[in-house]
Amino acid sequence: MALKTVICIGMAGSGKTTFMQRLNSHIRSNKKKTPYVINLDPAVLKIPYGANIDIRDSIKYKKVMENYELGPNGAIVTSLNLFSTKIDQVIKLVENKKDKYDHCIIDTPGQIECFVWSASGSIITESFASTFPTVVAYIVDTPRNSNPTTFMSNMLYACSILYKTKLPMVVVFNKTDVKNADFAKEWMTDFESFQQAIQEDQNGDEFGMGSGYMGSLINSMSLMLEEFYSQLDICGVSSYTGRGFDEFLDIVDKKVLEYEDFYKTERERILKEKEEKEKERKEKSLNGLMKDLKIDNNRTGTKEDNEEAEVVSDIEEGDYDGLVDRDEDEGIEREYTFAAEDRLSGEINDGTADLQKRYQQAFEKTGKKASSETAENIAKYIRN
Ligand SMILES: Nc1nc2c(ncn2[C@@H]2O[C@H](COP(=O)(O)OP(=O)(O)OP(=O)(O)O)[C@@H](O)[C@H]2O)c(=O)[nH]1
């Protein structure tokens, strides 16, 4: 079976690290295989499992705080940023071992937003997801989420992660040795029972929900969440006792199939769309640059480009005085890079040779160093 990645994400204290420890030992004893383990939490003091890759080996969190004069969260983001610059090497390391392992499990920082909403978090997630089938395990502290409002907030967070990562997700209700997750399963499948829980909560809390505003907000949000729930799988586990881990691994296998059938194609489609948009954007800005340089596009441009280029050459002699019309009350005196004689000499349709001559003159006026740099930059731009 091909190697799959499980990224563990969850609010601070939800039990990610303990879950990782249990998952690690469960795979070892039940599947008779070791998982490939990665720790991405730079701030953790001790991890209760052996990691194949540990961010702390390459980045010293306290040094990052000192050197960059950052607070704890800024230092986590910066550490992840530094780590993400080497992500291709990390992926290569995992790829080299892909025949030896079935699971690659990844622990993330407790400060969930540092990972989920940072550029480096996206780069790391994307890099894994584009190389291996990847599933997000969203860990929830079950006892702490037995209040319907807290539950709703947590589910909204999970929802935003699902839509951001566009990866299959399993919501893992952890700590079921303390509180059974049946209530959560019921709330997620039966809207009326969730409404009733809200009502009961409202009646008992005269300050928070008593106004009715909170209740109606939650009611309308929960309707939206119904759509989200339909895309999820849920599972109750206890990282202390090991209960529910067989079911969790079965769900991961099911989610991998979903990844292959739906998410992979969807991701490829989005990537292709992005590439095409980027190509279009580059073409547009190149055409814009050509137009700025007043190079005739007719020889190379597309039909639309040529039509646009015609608009420029359509301007009659005399229309062009080198100035753009401005509002009367604008009040700001305009400043120009070139002297008036340079601006107004030559016509808008003058050829490339003439244009080059004018640039040459302008370059000589503005200094040799600057001119060669500018020319180089333009050349670089066109090559790109
Ligand atoms: N009863 C019970 N407690 C648990 C379970 N899993 C974790 N805990 C406890 O929950 C607390 C937080 O667990 P961690 O594994 O450190 O949580 P975390 O999400 O990694 O924490 P941060 O990375 O600091 O956000 C610890 O006191 C754990 O002992 C569980 O299944 N049952």
Side-chain angles (χ1 to χ4, degrees):
M1 197 183 251
L3 182 133
K4 57 209 142 224
T5 312
V6 180
I7 305 181
C8 299
I9 297 176
M11 299 275 181
S14 55
K16 295 175 293 297
T17 307
T18 320
F19 175 81
M20 282 279 294
Q21 180 190 19
R22 174 61 68 179
L23 187 60
N24 184 2
S25 63
H26 191 87
I27 294 172
R28 278 167 192 263
S29 54
N30 288 50
K31 303 269 173 187
K32 307 279 177 264
K33 262 198 156 179
T34 47
Y36 196 88
V37 184
I38 301 180
N39 170 43
L40 290 184
D41 188 351
V44 71
L45 281 181
K46 240 183 174 187
I47 45 171
Y49 49 80
N52 298 76
I53 296 176
D54 192 334
I55 187 172
R56 295 174 306 163
D57 292 340
S58 29
I59 290 134
K60 304 287 171 228
Y61 171 70
K62 284 207 171 140
K63 281 255 173 313
V64 172
M65 272 176 97
E66 278 166 26
N67 293 352
Y68 295 85
E69 293 179 6
L70 293 167
N73 291 336
I76 291 178
V77 175
T78 307
S79 303
L80 283 169
N81 285 346
L82 294 168
F83 187 78
S84 69
T85 60
K86 302 279 176 211
I87 191 65
D88 49 333
Q89 290 176 26
V90 174
I91 298 286
K92 249 187 221 142
L93 285 173
V94 184
E95 259 195 316
N96 288 341
K97 302 278 169 59
K98 68 174 185 228
D99 298 328
K100 209 175 147 201
Y101 298 92
D102 284 347
H103 297 87
C104 169
I105 55 178
I106 304 175
D107 197 3
T108 58
Q111 280 72 6
I112 187 169
E113 65 280 12
C114 294
F115 184 78
V116 173
W117 299 110
S118 67
S120 46
S122 304
I123 291 169
I124 294 168
T125 311
E126 273 299 310
S127 305
F128 276 100
S130 53
T131 321
F132 311 104
T134 301
V135 176
V136 172
Y138 186 77
I139 320 289
V140 177
D141 182 329
T142 314
R144 252 171 49 186
N145 280 269
S146 52
N147 173 286
T149 320
T150 318
F151 180 81
M152 168 75 75
S153 313
N154 212 337
M155 288 305 107
L156 280 174
Y157 214 99
C159 176
S160 64
I161 293 172
L162 178 86
Y163 291 130
K164 178 159 197 309
T165 60
K166 294 183 184 66
L167 286 172
M169 179 184 273
V170 190
V171 176
V172 181
F173 288 97
N174 190 25
K175 310 189 186 180
T176 52
D177 52 295
V178 179
K179 182 154 178 78
N180 195 299
D182 288 348
F183 74 92
K185 289 180 187 167
E186 198 183 316
W187 286 352
M188 289 167 90
T189 45
D190 180 0
F191 177 59
E192 276 175 16
S193 84
F194 185 65
Q195 260 184 329
Q196 198 187 330
I198 291 172
Q199 197 59 50
E200 281 165 17
D201 201 48
Q202 270 185 336
N203 295 341
D205 179 4
E206 62 184 282
F207 297 108
M209 314 274 288
S211 65
Y213 169 74
M214 196 60 175
S216 67
L217 177 73
I218 289 176
N219 272 344
S220 50
M221 280 200 298
S222 58
L223 282 174
M224 180 275 287
L225 280 176
E226 263 193 328
E227 160 71 16
F228 163 64
Y229 293 154
S230 68
Q231 297 177 47
L232 289 181
D233 274 80
I234 45 182
C235 165
V237 302
S238 165
S239 302
Y240 271 9
T241 65
R243 199 175 78 190
F245 276 79
D246 276 333
E247 191 196 348
F248 172 74
L249 287 174
D250 288 345
I251 293 176
V252 168
D253 286 344
K254 187 184 133 199
K255 285 287 175 194
V256 166
L257 296 179
E258 244 176 59
Y259 172 93
E260 302 284 0
D261 285 350
F262 172 71
Y263 288 88
K264 199 171 158 199
T265 8
E266 183 62 9
R267 292 173 72 79
E268 279 166 0
R269 188 190 63 76
I270 292 168
L271 274 180
K272 207 169 155 221
E273 214 176 88
K274 255 192 192 167
E275 262 170 32
E276 270 163 19
K277 270 196 186 140
E278 182 59 15
K279 208 172 130 198
E280 220 173 83
R281 188 192 63 78
K282 275 188 185 161
E283 235 163 59
K284 249 191 197 157
S285 51
L286 181 63
N287 283 326
L289 179 81
M290 296 299 229
K291 226 186 278 169
D292 285 349
L293 292 173
K294 300 185 189 72
I295 291 171
D296 186 3
N297 264 343
N298 287 329
R299 278 168 292 160
T300 51
T302 61
K303 188 171 173 287
E304 287 78 8
D305 297 331
N306 293 339
E307 272 167 8
E308 263 192 70
E310 265 169 20
V311 177
V312 179
S313 57
D314 273 345
I315 298 173
E316 302 215 339
E317 214 180 322
D319 284 356
Y320 176 69
D321 61 2
L323 303 173
V324 176
D325 287 338
R326 293 211 160 184
D327 293 342
E328 279 174 7
D329 56 356
E330 200 176 28
I332 299 168
E333 207 175 304
R334 291 176 68 181
E335 287 183 309
Y336 291 97
T337 321
F338 295 103
E341 61 275 20
D342 289 320
R343 268 187 282 122
L344 300 177
S345 71
E347 290 174 11
I348 195 159
N349 284 332
D350 51 9
T352 315
D354 194 42
L355 185 76
Q356 260 176 358
K357 207 174 97 198
R358 284 204 290 146
Y359 264 92
Q360 198 58 43
Q361 281 168 358
F363 286 159
E364 270 153 19
K365 272 186 194 164
T366 47
K368 281 237 162 3
K369 191 175 171 286
S371 67
S372 67
E373 260 174 24
T374 316
E376 227 170 72
N377 285 344
I378 293 176
K380 234 189 242 168
Y381 188 90
I382 293 173
R383 266 204 303 277
N384 281 342

